[in-house]
Amino acid sequence: MTTTTSVMRSEIAQQPEAVRRTLDALLPLTGEIAALAQQTRQVLFIARGSSDNAAVYGGYLIQAHGGRLATLASPSIATTYRAKMDLSGVLAVAISQSGRTEEIVDTMRWAADCGARTIGITNGAGSPMTEIADVSLLTRAGDEVAVPATKTYTTQLAALAVLALGLGADLDAGELRAVPDEIEATLEASEDALDEIVERLVGVQGAVVSGRGMAFSTALEAALKLKEACYLHAMGLSYADLLHGPIAVVDADTPALLVAANNGPTLPGTVALAQRVVSAGAPAYGIGGGAALAGACDLAVPGPDLPEWLAPIGLIVPAQLITEKLARRLGYDPDAPRGLGKVTQTS
């Protein structure tokens, strides 16, 4: 395989320190988050792209551990239909790496006009999002040059974990402090399995990426990365949805990439799915899931040794590495996928 590097690979390696800086900056703000959210009952996430995948993690986290209903907004309701509704009692959380995507900023402004309190999660200091949010959670990823989001995505997940703590989730902030070290350990793990998975993906046209619960966000983000940087027809699906029909596309030429934390209630189902995929004659590749998932898959790479609520922050790292390696192996530039820019404007 080629040994050249990319900006994307360099930025993947910067994630432990980026997450560490972000936690240092944001953990002291949990009291401010709690005060803002005191008169709210539910959370509305406003995002697109990778930020939308981060919001999926935030939604599971807050509902499973924070006792609040959390949903994803449809920005077109604000920007295209210009609907008016009562959002009193809603905490609207807008997520944007740049803080400059007009649709997201406009939707957050709309939510505030409808009565919501607002929080902005962004890496863009001084951006329009920070100027209009009631509270800004500014991530510390530093400049991100490669178009595929890596360190801006993981720092968003770290910010969402802080948000959950601020909203009263019964979780241990000390466990969150261990995340950067676990990302470092994941980056330093043997790349033999990663390289072999990449080689097996070289000739395929499509793949299914699946996880459930907290790990569903990782499946969505991994699929997005494979699509945008490798031009692979990758579907990100909950394994529950996969079993309702789309599993029919998984065959010898369409592998399944399965993602799970090393513990938690969704691990047994992910292992069972791997066993079903393999028994049907299709390749199954695992990310995380400990020895149980590794034993059920053809190949597997270890995930972070983190509790389920934090595992997605580290689980995405092997998927990022696979994407970067596969793009270069296919002769593509992972830093500048065709047709994409760093800030995508929609209306």
Side-chain angles (χ1 to χ4, degrees), residues 40-57:
T40 65
R41 301 181 306 278
Q42 63 191 69
V43 178
L44 180 70
F45 286 107
I46 303 166
R48 290 287 194 196
S50 286
S51 299
D52 206 35
N53 297 335
V56 170
Y57 165 69

Side-chain angles (χ1 to χ4, degrees), residues 55-74:
V56 170
Y57 165 69
Y60 274 96
L61 185 59
I62 288 167
Q63 291 180 103
H65 297 288
R68 290 173 180 246
L69 178 66
T71 57
L72 300 180
S74 299

Side-chain angles (χ1 to χ4, degrees), residues 131-264:
E131 293 173 358
I132 65 174
D134 292 323
V135 171
S136 293
L137 301 183
L138 189 64
T139 59
R140 296 327 199 259
D143 292 338
E144 188 173 65
V145 176
V147 170
T150 53
K151 59 181 180 173
T152 53
Y153 176 77
T154 50
T155 53
Q156 284 178 346
L157 298 187
L160 287 163
V162 172
L163 174 68
L165 293 171
L167 294 180
D170 186 18
L171 297 166
D172 184 356
E175 293 177 334
L176 183 53
R177 286 288 190 185
V179 169
D181 290 342
E182 282 304 315
I183 296 177
E184 285 180 344
T186 301
L187 286 166
E188 294 168 1
S190 171
E191 294 194 0
D192 291 346
L194 282 170
D195 289 343
E196 182 59 28
I197 290 173
V198 167
E199 284 301 313
R200 295 193 188 190
L201 291 175
V202 166
V204 306
Q205 298 298 312
V208 170
V209 190
S210 187
R212 195 174 186 184
M214 305 291 170
F216 179 39
S217 59
T218 308
L220 292 171
E221 178 63 9
L224 177 60
K225 288 288 165 284
L226 290 169
K227 283 184 280 196
E228 68 183 358
C230 303
Y231 316 136
L232 192 66
H233 296 287
M235 296 184 291
L237 293 165
S238 161
Y239 71 61
D241 288 327
L242 179 61
L243 293 174
H244 276 272
I247 196 169
V249 306
V250 178
D251 58 24
D253 298 318
T254 309
L257 188 62
L258 308 177
V259 184
N262 291 350
N263 51 63

Side-chain angles (χ1 to χ4, degrees), residues 262-299:
N262 291 350
N263 51 63
T266 68
L267 177 58
T270 308
V271 173
L273 176 59
Q275 293 167 337
R276 177 170 173 178
V277 167
V278 171
S279 67
Y285 308 129
I287 295 177
L293 185 58
C297 291
D298 296 288
L299 289 168

Side-chain angles (χ1 to χ4, degrees), residues 8-19:
M8 181 182 176
R9 180 63 181 84
S10 297
E11 291 174 344
I12 291 170
Q14 293 166 16
Q15 290 178 116
E17 187 55 34
V19 171

